[in-house]
Amino acid sequence: MHRMLWSKAFCRYPVLVLSLWFCVEAVPIAVDKTKVETPEQKLEAPQSVDTGLHYDRYLREVIDFLEKDQHFREKLHNTDMEDIKQGKLAKELDFVGHHVRTKLDELKRQEVNRLRTLIKAKQDVEGGHEMNHKALLMQFEYMNHMNPHTFEVEDLDKLIKSATSDLENYDKDRHEEFKRYEMMKEHKRKEHLKNLDEEQRKDEEQHYEELRKKHANHPKINHPGSQDQLKEVWKESDGLDPDDFDPKTFFKLHDTNGDGYIDQQELEALFTKELEKMYSPNLEEDDMTEMEEERLRMREHVMNEVDTNKDRLVSMDEFLMSTNKKEFQEPDSWETLEQAPAYTDEEMKLFEEQLAQEESNLNQKNVELQKQKEELERQQEQLNAQKAELQQAVEQMQIIKFEKANAAVEVKDGATVAVPPGGQALPVLPGDSQPLPPSHQQELPAHS
């Protein structure tokens, strides 16, 4: 038995996360050997791709252990998509084996500890203010934080719903990121032109237009998912005669893991030849970020046309049904990115206004920081001056102390006098250890 289709779900696509993993036998590729020779290969489990979710590891580990329970696996196989979305499948958690539940409890405790560590790190970065960890944990909606110790039905239900919502928004987020990328690229180009003189600006604009024309000068792009497009893959990638095109054979050839479905990654691979007509990593006029956006647009279009049950998988029946449509044989021309800009003039205007506001805020912040820096430097100068004065006073006191400690005492003409280093001898009365002050100094008669 193969691993369930969860491994494919992690290729960014949500409903597979929900449809949970049908347990399927390897499906041999039944290709007409008169048309193509396919070497026998041992089918390997597909490599999981990171979903991009911040709780990706936790999601994977929960799936891995649920897969190991036979009862749960059977329920997954017999549960339809809507029941999964409505949480009916999560209730089956009560019937899984004790060792699976124990491991799920452990995984949940580890995930809660990970989140607490993240919150603590954020607290340290933001200045060490006291935070309500329990309240902050509530923002992570994929688990029940009221019980941080055991993995319950509610945890599985929350995990399924959160993964569904987050992954369904993944493509939308990618489109938004691409739009911002394109607007920022255009903004930088215009800012660069502002810094050029008139002649340089003219040359730069001319070069820009030449690059646009070069990029647009490519072979005809077939409508994604059309008969012409698939026949080109059949010829160029599969090495087969276009006149012998057979949809069923084509499906089996491109169901690369033999699970009976063409998933979204397998579908995207079908567009490589079309994209190579428009994009090359070695040409200045071609932007590889734009190529990936074009690939995404093609995949979304075909899925919308072919995936009738919206499970983000193309079954054999769905594929064969699509080949009988008029759109398959007589499609409209495909509108590429250069013909369908990612943003409108109004969106560009708003974007530049936002950038201007952000720049203004940054400049204001820089002014405030500069003032703070100057004030700190002024205070540092004052402290340095005070430190120098204090150091000078300490040195003076040490000199005085040293001179007192090293004063010499001697007898002169029968009188005891103290002689400071480099100073004049001062008289000292008999039995007195200190010299007389200058105002009291007078000649003392010598003792006979």
Side-chain angles (χ1 to χ4, degrees), residues 400-428:
I400 294 172
K401 182 177 181 181
F402 177 80
E403 290 176 347
K404 287 183 177 180
N406 290 278
V409 178
E410 60 182 45
V411 177
K412 182 179 180 180
D413 297 332
T416 303
V417 295
V419 183
Q424 186 176 1
L426 301 175
V428 180

Side-chain angles (χ1 to χ4, degrees), residues 15 81 261 306-315 318:
V15 182
M81 189 66 58
Y261 296 89
V306 180
D307 178 25
T308 55
N309 67 354
K310 305 305 177 185
D311 65 353
R312 297 198 178 233
L313 293 171
V314 177
S315 67
E318 287 173 328

Side-chain angles (χ1 to χ4, degrees), residues 176-232:
E176 288 300 316
E177 289 174 8
F178 175 74
K179 181 189 293 186
R180 182 175 178 84
Y181 168 81
E182 289 287 282
M183 291 190 292
M184 181 60 78
K185 187 167 72 170
E186 176 63 11
H187 172 74
K188 289 180 178 179
R189 187 185 75 84
K190 291 193 294 186
E191 289 298 307
H192 173 64
L193 292 175
K194 291 179 181 179
N195 298 322
L196 304 178
D197 60 36
E198 185 175 350
E199 184 176 353
Q200 291 174 325
R201 190 179 304 113
K202 183 177 178 181
D203 291 341
E204 191 72 18
E205 288 281 21
Q206 183 178 351
H207 178 63
Y208 174 72
E209 288 301 321
E210 289 174 354
L211 292 179
R212 289 186 61 183
K213 290 178 180 179
K214 284 183 180 180
H215 175 69
N217 184 24
H218 52 69
K220 176 188 174 184
I221 303 302
N222 291 311
H223 194 97
S226 68
Q227 179 175 244
D228 290 340
Q229 193 255 314
L230 299 187
K231 278 188 175 183
E232 190 166 330

Side-chain angles (χ1 to χ4, degrees), residues 22-40:
F22 297 109
C23 254
V24 294
E25 295 286 350
V27 179
I29 300 177
V31 179
D32 186 343
K33 293 187 178 181
T34 63
K35 298 179 181 178
V36 60
E37 290 293 329
T38 304
E40 290 188 7

Side-chain angles (χ1 to χ4, degrees), residues 145-161:
H145 304 289
M146 300 305 293
N147 173 14
H149 306 294
T150 59
F151 190 96
E152 304 296 342
V153 170
E154 185 178 358
D155 288 290
L156 182 56
D157 186 45
K158 283 178 173 289
L159 185 59
I160 290 174
K161 290 178 179 178

Side-chain angles (χ1 to χ4, degrees), residues 64 82 109 133 219 248 286 328 364 376 419:
D64 286 341
E82 286 306 312
R109 289 192 292 269
H133 282 66
K248 185 176 290 187
D286 296 337
F328 178 75
Q364 181 62 32
L376 289 173
V419 183

Side-chain angles (χ1 to χ4, degrees), residues 120-138:
K120 177 62 167 62
K122 181 180 179 181
Q123 176 183 357
D124 293 341
V125 169
E126 295 183 352
H129 301 296
E130 187 174 350
M131 292 185 176
N132 186 335
H133 282 66
K134 195 169 185 178
L136 289 171
L137 282 172
M138 296 296 290

